[in-house]
Amino acid sequence: NIVVVKKKMSPAQFPTTDGTCAGRCSPTGTGLGHHVAGSSGGSALSGNILQINVASVNIKKIDLKAYGIEKAICQTVLTVEGVTQKTKELRGLDPIWEENFEFAVSDPKTTTVSAQFFCEGKQLGDTQVYPLEKLLKMKATFKAIFVPGGKVDMMFTALNFGDEEAEEENDSFMDFL
């Protein structure tokens, strides 16, 4: 049982389930704060938590008419283990969301994130799937949804799972050179 709480807060607020501030919503302090709470007494999620910041999109190179789109109204949709969250719909070819989303992750080794981009209700590009097994704990990792005419920028952060540091690459094959 996962509850999604969406509240309009002052720009730099990230709400808790009781309406108090839990910190900044995004690095720039813009947008709506999104907080996902677990079912145990209204507290924050427990276990493995993935935070995704959907920053912005730029599709200025797209031919809207070729896709039958009259007005660019953009939205990004994220799904993790059957839980779907969406950005608000914004007009234009380069909207800035700066929205944070949190998801409970049962097994980071096998769980994936599916991301889709929509313009005027039509999906543009393919559904992108991102594995979580290589994320570093508390280190934001850039991800993008590539769509016709541009891309959506996102940051994935494993809040309490993942390796502490990146694995050393084995370059011993270079020894014979």
Side-chain angles (χ1 to χ4, degrees):
N1 293 333
I2 294 179
V3 177
V4 178
V5 178
K6 283 177 101 170
K7 283 186 164 185
K8 181 92 172 154
M9 302 290 284
S10 62
Q13 303 301 303
F14 190 84
T16 62
T17 55
D18 63 359
T20 60
C21 175
R24 295 186 63 76
C25 160
S26 66
T28 62
T30 60
L32 290 174
H34 291 259
H35 181 76
V36 180
S39 59
S40 59
S43 63
L45 288 171
S46 60
N48 300 318
I49 302 170
L50 172 67
Q51 183 181 72
I52 301 175
N53 174 271
V54 180
S56 62
V57 66
N58 184 326
I59 55 169
K60 289 183 177 179
K61 296 179 182 178
I62 192 169
D63 180 2
L64 293 177
K65 290 181 183 176
Y67 291 92
I69 297 170
E70 292 184 26
K71 294 181 181 177
I73 301 172
C74 302
Q75 183 176 49
T76 300
V77 177
L78 305 168
T79 304
V80 177
E81 296 185 309
V83 176
T84 299
Q85 296 191 54
K86 301 175 182 182
T87 62
K88 59 189 170 223
E89 291 182 324
L90 293 179
R91 293 184 180 273
L93 298 175
D94 58 350
I96 298 173
W97 287 290
E98 289 293 349
E99 292 185 57
N100 283 342
F101 300 91
E102 288 185 354
F103 293 92
V105 175
S106 62
D107 183 3
K109 299 274 186 226
T110 60
T111 299
T112 59
V113 175
S114 295
Q116 301 168 299
F117 176 73
F118 293 86
C119 190
E120 203 175 85
K122 298 176 184 177
Q123 183 175 343
L124 296 183
D126 296 326
T127 299
Q128 304 289 308
V129 178
Y130 308 94
L132 304 179
E133 64 186 338
K134 298 288 184 182
L135 292 179
L136 298 178
K137 186 176 183 179
M138 294 302 296
K139 181 171 173 35
T141 303
F142 176 78
K143 303 287 183 184
I145 304 173
F146 292 99
V147 297
K151 65 181 172 65
V152 178
D153 294 331
M154 302 179 292
M155 297 297 281
F156 285 26
T157 306
L159 296 182
N160 57 356
F161 66 91
D163 293 332
E164 296 292 330
E165 55 187 56
E167 292 180 16
E168 295 275 332
E169 288 194 27
N170 184 353
D171 61 357
S172 61
F173 71 93
M174 296 293 285
D175 291 345
F176 72 91
L177 296 178

